[in-house]
């Protein structure tokens, strides 16, 4: 019996060895695997496996397991990781014009945002990333950001005064908070929960997917559906890795990415509605967090102040690019 088991075990090892992939693509991101970005990364991995008959595998590392925010850029450069999905703000030092996407109240709605991403504006920015030695693939969505706080509900612009907000590393986000007299602290995403819990910062701005999957509701007493800005991603690949990757599989990887992008964008829109219901249920059943919706007048008051920062970025982002994005139908 023991011998039979040993033979079976050896056969299993051989079988798995014969199915082993010839190439592994390491993909890193910083959010939960349950977010639209996380699910799309897993979907991409599955499709690459299917399309290449298992010859190429994608190993996905979520939750900043491999690299934190900006560190991933260097890792891609030297080929230690092959694909990353950084949010736009994480490109600030590499391609400052990417801060276009951080501009508050720039996008009228999701349709406008997608039209901008798929327009000349999206291409110009991808070209700038490519020029820095990366392969710019596709734009993925997170969603519109909302303010949250544990100190005081952020409903009118003056409520931000005297509160400290975690922001991503972006001059636009810094200026946006300064415009409403809020103070800021730049932190990597993986440190946001504990910073909120320990009161290092009072509040933050997040799309619902990041807010709910990291359970920020446990450490915030108010959430305002402010939709004051947008969070999205550019999927990028290591040029060093891609230039040596076998041609026979390149088309298949790109095909899988195209499918993953469509999957991700649909999912992000669907999840937003579901997570809002989930947060509303949490708020109601626990009474530990209040959710605020802004009136059109309140929203207009935020927009008026925050849009006032645009001219400060005419040089870094390009006045022309900002105007082009605004003009996209
Ligand atoms: C953040 O740092 O808040 C986001 O960029 C995290 C992410 O990747 O969605």
């Amino acid at each position: 019996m023991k011998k039979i088991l040993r033979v079976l075990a050896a056969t299993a090892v051989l079988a798995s060895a014969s199915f082993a992939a010839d190439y592994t693509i390491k993909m890193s991101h910083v959010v939960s695997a349950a977010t639209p970005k996380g699910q799309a990364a897993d979907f991409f991995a599955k499709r690459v496996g299917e399309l290449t008959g298992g010859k190429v595998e994608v190993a996905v590392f979520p939750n900043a397991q491999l690299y934190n925010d900006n560190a991933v850029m260097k890792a891609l450069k030297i080929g230690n990781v092959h694909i990353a999905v950084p949010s736009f703000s994480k490109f600030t030092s590499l391609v400052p014009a990417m801060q276009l996407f951080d501009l508050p109240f720039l996008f009228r709605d999701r349709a406008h945002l997608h039209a901008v991403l798929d327009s000349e504006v999206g291409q110009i920015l991808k070209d700038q990333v490519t020029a820095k030695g990366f392969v710019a693939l596709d734009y993925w969505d997170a969603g519109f950001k909302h303010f949250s706080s544990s100190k005081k509900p952020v409903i009118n612009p003056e409520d931000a005064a005297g509160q400290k907000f975690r922001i991503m590393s972006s001059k636009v986000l810094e200026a946006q908070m300064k415009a409403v007299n809020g103070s800021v602290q730049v932190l990597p995403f993986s440190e946001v929960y504990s910073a909120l819990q320990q009161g290092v910062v009072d509040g933050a701005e997040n799309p619902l997917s990041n807010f709910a999957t990291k359970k920020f509701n446990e450490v915030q007493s108010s959430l305002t559906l402010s939709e004051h800005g947008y969070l999205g991603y550019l999927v990028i690949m290591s040029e060093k890795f891609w230039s040596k990757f076998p041609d026979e599989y390149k088309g298949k990887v790109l095909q899988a990415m195209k499918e993953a992008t469509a999957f991700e964008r649909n999912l992000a829109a669907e999840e937003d509605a579901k997570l809002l219901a989930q947060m509303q249920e949490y708020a109601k059943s626990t009474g530990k967090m209040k959710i605020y919706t802004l009136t059109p007048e309140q929203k207009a008051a935020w927009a008026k102040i925050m849009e006032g920062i645009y001219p400060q970025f005419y040089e870094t982002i390009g006045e022309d690019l900002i105007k082009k994005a605004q003009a996209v139908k």
Side-chain angles (χ1 to χ4, degrees):
M1 183 65 187
K2 259 195 182 155
K3 193 168 171 202
I4 293 174
L5 282 178
R6 266 206 305 274
V7 170
L8 281 178
T11 316
V13 169
L14 275 179
S16 71
S18 68
F19 284 118
D22 293 341
Y23 300 92
T24 300
I25 300 178
K26 283 202 269 172
M27 182 168 186
S28 165
H29 66 84
V30 302
V31 294
S32 154
T35 55
K37 172 161 76 172
Q39 293 189 53
D42 293 342
F43 174 95
F44 170 69
K46 183 169 149 274
R47 289 299 289 141
V48 167
E50 286 166 1
L51 291 169
T52 63
K55 293 292 175 201
V56 181
E57 67 167 6
V58 178
V60 182
F61 298 88
N63 293 312
Q65 267 166 23
L66 273 194
Y67 296 100
N68 224 335
D69 293 24
N70 305 350
V72 81
M73 300 294 188
K74 279 197 197 113
L76 282 164
K77 217 50 223 211
I78 54 178
N80 279 357
V81 67
H82 310 132
I83 299 185
V85 197
S87 63
F88 300 131
S89 318
K90 314 279 163 79
F91 288 85
T92 297
S93 52
L94 192 75
V95 176
M98 283 287 264
Q99 290 172 103
L100 170 88
F101 296 111
D102 291 336
L103 286 171
F105 296 99
L106 180 67
F107 303 108
R108 296 186 292 274
D109 50 30
R110 213 176 262 267
H112 176 219
L113 159 82
H114 286 156
V116 173
L117 293 176
D118 298 336
S119 75
E120 185 198 354
V121 175
Q123 193 54 48
I124 290 171
L125 291 166
K126 272 189 183 176
D127 291 347
Q128 292 192 20
V129 172
T130 306
K132 293 284 174 179
F134 297 91
V135 183
L137 295 171
D138 280 352
Y139 289 113
W140 285 8
D141 278 337
F144 284 91
K145 292 179 291 185
H146 309 289
F147 284 122
S148 61
S149 171
S150 60
K151 192 169 183 179
K152 179 183 178 195
V154 185
I155 302 165
N156 297 301
E158 48 276 22
D159 296 327
Q163 300 209 53
K164 189 182 253 187
F165 294 87
R166 176 270 172 167
I167 56 162
M168 296 176 280
S169 167
S170 154
K171 296 288 165 215
V172 168
L173 298 180
E174 216 174 295
Q176 161 199 287
M177 298 319 300
K178 210 167 148 199
V180 288
N181 299 313
S183 59
V184 296
Q185 177 138 352
V186 173
L187 288 171
F189 184 67
S190 57
E191 290 173 26
V192 178
Y193 184 95
S194 62
L196 290 170
Q197 187 179 39
Q198 289 159 21
V200 173
V201 290
D202 305 304
E205 47 161 21
N206 284 285
L208 287 170
S209 56
N210 286 350
F211 187 84
T213 54
K214 284 291 174 195
K215 300 192 173 18
F216 293 161
N217 49 294
E218 293 175 354
V219 286
Q220 295 281 262
S221 51
S222 68
L223 170 68
T224 305
L225 303 173
S226 48
E227 297 182 313
H228 60 279
Y230 171 77
L231 185 86
Y233 310 106
L234 177 60
V235 188
I236 52 172
M237 192 146 55
S238 163
E239 157 72 25
K240 191 167 175 204
F241 169 76
W242 194 237
S243 62
K244 299 205 183 83
F245 193 72
D247 284 340
E248 62 176 306
Y249 297 127
K250 278 188 173 167
K252 302 207 155 84
V253 170
L254 295 178
Q255 169 65 28
M257 180 52 65
K258 207 168 137 203
E259 292 177 23
T261 299
F263 172 86
E264 205 274 347
R265 285 188 181 186
N266 280 335
L267 191 65
E270 271 172 36
E271 292 277 294
D272 228 33
K274 270 197 220 151
L275 290 170
L276 178 57
Q278 192 181 309
M279 285 297 103
Q280 276 162 339
E281 176 53 34
Y282 169 86
K284 208 168 117 194
S285 63
T286 66
K288 286 187 182 158
M289 183 179 76
K290 270 195 102 164
I291 300 181
Y292 297 89
T293 311
L294 298 182
T295 63
E297 293 73 27
Q298 283 166 331
K299 210 162 177 182
W302 282 98
K304 188 159 177 248
I305 299 178
M306 289 188 157
E307 284 170 7
I309 69 167
Y310 287 19
Q312 287 177 48
F313 295 95
Y314 282 169
E315 214 171 297
T316 357
I317 296 173
E319 181 174 359
D320 195 39
L321 204 64
I322 298 175
K323 300 250 154 87
K324 266 194 179 128
Q326 286 173 317
V328 170
K329 293 280 171 264

